[in-house]
Amino acid sequence: MNPTDIRIDDYDYPLPDELIARHPLQQRDACRLLVRHADGTLEHTRFDRLPTLLPPGSVLVANNTRVINARLRFRKGGNGALIEVFCLEPTSPADYERAFAAISECEWLCFVGNSKRWNEDLILTLDVTLPDGRQVQLNATRTGRSGNASTVRFHWYAAAGTTFSQIIDSAGEIPIPPYLCRATEETDASDYQTVYSRIEGSVAAPTAGLHFTPELLRAIDLAGIKRQEVTLHVGAGTFQPVKSDTIGGHEMHSELITVSRDFIAGIAATDAPIIAVGTTTVRTLESLYHLGCMASQGSDATEVPQWYPYSPDHPLLSVADAMKALLARLDAQGTDRLVATTRIIIAPGYRFRIVDGMVTNFHQPRSTLLLLVSAFTGGDWRRMYDAALAERYRFLSYGDAQLLLAPGR
């Protein structure tokens, strides 16, 4: 079957509201874990047993992105209509590091709530108190539109080089997923971050990583499992529902990838099983392969198109050759870091090239993430989800987890 013909109705299931976890467990790694072993058998256990369940000698790869306080609440005229500005990605400067380090102004692509009340000639203001007691006035001007989003210029006046990162840390809120159906709480500021998050840029957490604790990471190290990190900044599109009847009509969102040259060289050289923590890490790793294949075809493009993996013109290189092509391009550019974007959609019919296993949560019905799980398990997702529903697992971002191991690994 052509993947564009896949019907999203076939990836629906009844999710009782009481099984949606509104808050995490107090002890992160005490959650339940459903293991789908390489032979297809299912096991119910706990997440803190993960070090004993990972393939010996495997490499565990996690996404070190950090969720920003992306939701800013302005009042029109200071005490009028509430206008919510949800920062998605920087546009000027477009580089995340430079945008967060800006000390007077920057521009972002944003979702705007109550947008009809905000004319483009109106400057919104927000009084911000920094942790050291300094006062900053943050101003926002709507400068244009892009689809259902707007470009917003933020500008501020403060002494001692106050950065945009400091401002949103103080003024913004962590944007918890809409399906939690509750307001952000103070505990979300820490609960909705992985313990290894450090590169600011996401507006949603790579939630499979929320189950890890420092103690569990040490146990993984002691078990001889190597750990590596990549960065994919998760965009709001991760919550975008599939509204078309078939996935051929669904447009995937773009997400930013950053990995080091050394990491790519390590992928080229290893034959160890690679276990991805979360679907964002899966997308990053598999996108590296396709970027390498594109480079081998003479392309200097830095974005993986949505349907490229299924193209008849795809060269279908080995992983080692794809990584070598990508390394050659980095060498020609004189850089030790790959910065790219991906729109890849992983659906049944996709052939995994790098990932041998994944840690993931239980995903929403009719979602592209459920398509990814189905692709990885050879269509076995419904049996797994039926088992989890029967055992009353906790679902979605703050819920329980799965460990999926590829056949033959």
Side-chain angles (χ1 to χ4, degrees):
M1 172 187 258
N2 187 322
T4 61
D5 295 331
I6 292 173
R7 296 185 59 81
I8 197 62
D9 284 349
D10 294 334
Y11 294 85
D12 199 0
Y13 68 93
L15 176 57
D17 184 70
E18 66 270 18
L19 294 189
I20 297 175
R22 311 292 178 188
H23 297 86
L25 298 180
Q26 185 173 3
Q27 179 66 23
R28 291 179 180 230
D29 59 4
C31 72
R32 300 174 74 185
L33 179 68
L34 176 62
V35 183
R36 184 186 186 275
H37 291 281
D39 63 2
T41 58
L42 301 181
E43 178 184 356
H44 301 284
T45 184
R46 277 179 34 140
F47 197 85
D48 54 12
R49 282 199 57 225
L50 187 66
T52 68
L53 296 166
L54 295 172
S58 57
V59 179
L60 189 70
V61 184
N63 183 3
N64 61 16
T65 189
R66 185 167 182 82
V67 183
I68 63 172
N69 289 2
R71 182 175 283 120
L72 297 164
R73 299 180 189 273
F74 292 83
R75 286 283 179 183
K76 187 175 179 180
N79 56 6
L82 175 66
I83 297 176
E84 184 177 287
V85 180
F86 190 120
C87 297
L88 297 175
E89 60 184 62
T91 57
S92 180
D95 178 83
Y96 279 84
E97 291 182 15
R98 291 172 56 209
F100 287 128
I103 57 174
S104 61
E105 67 176 38
C106 57
E107 187 173 82
W108 283 67
L109 186 67
C110 304
F111 287 146
V112 176
N114 206 8
S115 62
K116 292 181 180 179
R117 306 296 297 273
W118 188 10
N119 298 325
E120 291 189 4
D121 59 347
L122 175 66
I123 298 176
L124 300 179
T125 62
L126 180 64
D127 292 326
V128 181
T129 302
L130 300 178
D132 61 6
R134 285 183 295 144
Q135 299 292 313
V136 178
Q137 184 182 78
L138 176 65
N139 304 300
T141 306
R142 197 173 182 183
T143 58
R145 299 175 187 270
S146 177
N148 60 349
S150 298
T151 50
V152 176
R153 184 171 70 91
F154 297 102
H155 46 111
W156 60 96
Y157 309 98
T162 302
T163 65
F164 187 64
S165 177
Q166 291 173 308
I167 289 173
I168 63 170
D169 279 351
S170 298
E173 295 179 3
I174 284 283
I176 60 172
Y179 49 65
L180 293 185
C181 299
R182 64 170 175 83
T184 300
E185 299 173 5
E186 186 176 342
T187 54
D188 291 313
S190 57
D191 288 344
Y192 201 57
Q193 302 281 11
T194 65
V195 296
Y196 46 76
S197 65
R198 56 190 181 87
I199 309 297
E200 290 185 312
S202 280
V203 299
T207 54
L210 296 180
H211 306 293
F212 289 85
T213 63
E215 295 77 15
L216 183 59
L217 293 175
R218 284 194 290 271
I220 288 170
D221 294 339
L222 290 172
I225 306 297
K226 293 181 62 177
R227 291 192 288 118
Q228 298 284 343
E229 293 182 355
V230 296
T231 304
L232 181 143
H233 290 319
V234 188
T238 192
F239 302 121
Q240 182 180 346
V242 179
K243 296 181 179 179
S244 55
D245 291 337
T246 62
I247 63 168
H250 180 74
E251 182 178 353
M252 286 294 288
H253 53 288
S254 177
E255 292 177 313
L256 181 73
I257 293 170
T258 307
V259 296
S260 69
R261 187 192 188 284
D262 288 346
F263 180 85
I264 297 169
I267 294 294
T270 190
D271 58 0
I274 296 178
I275 312 299
V277 178
T279 56
T280 62
T281 304
V282 172
R283 284 166 54 80
T284 301
L285 292 169
E286 294 296 311
S287 294
L288 291 180
Y289 169 78
H290 297 295
L291 284 165
C293 289
M294 292 163 66
S296 77
Q297 295 175 308
S299 171
D300 60 358
T302 57
E303 180 169 274
V304 182
Q306 177 168 334
W307 298 108
Y308 177 72
Y310 312 92
S311 169
D313 298 325
H314 197 295
L316 302 177
L317 301 179
S318 68
V319 170
D321 286 344
M323 296 302 99
K324 289 174 183 176
L326 200 51
L327 291 169
R329 191 172 83 177
L330 292 181
D331 290 344
Q333 295 171 343
T335 181
D336 61 359
R337 186 176 70 156
L338 172 72
V339 179
T341 55
T342 183
R343 291 185 182 271
I344 188 175
I345 185 167
I346 298 179
Y350 179 87
R351 179 182 172 188
F352 285 82
R353 300 290 181 163
I354 293 180
V355 175
D356 300 303
M358 74 176 78
V359 177
T360 190
N361 284 11
F362 292 93
H363 305 293
Q364 294 184 85
R366 305 172 64 87
S367 65
T368 57
L369 301 182
L370 198 53
L371 293 173
L372 185 153
V373 169
S374 180
F376 190 78
T377 60
D380 197 29
W381 73 272
R382 193 174 294 277
R383 181 174 68 103
M384 295 152 39
Y385 275 60
D386 284 347
L389 289 166
E391 293 292 329
R392 310 292 289 176
Y393 275 66
R394 301 163 72 249
F395 277 62
L396 307 186
S397 294
Y398 278 148
D400 295 318
Q402 304 173 81
L403 172 62
L404 313 177
L405 299 173
R409 300 294 183 179

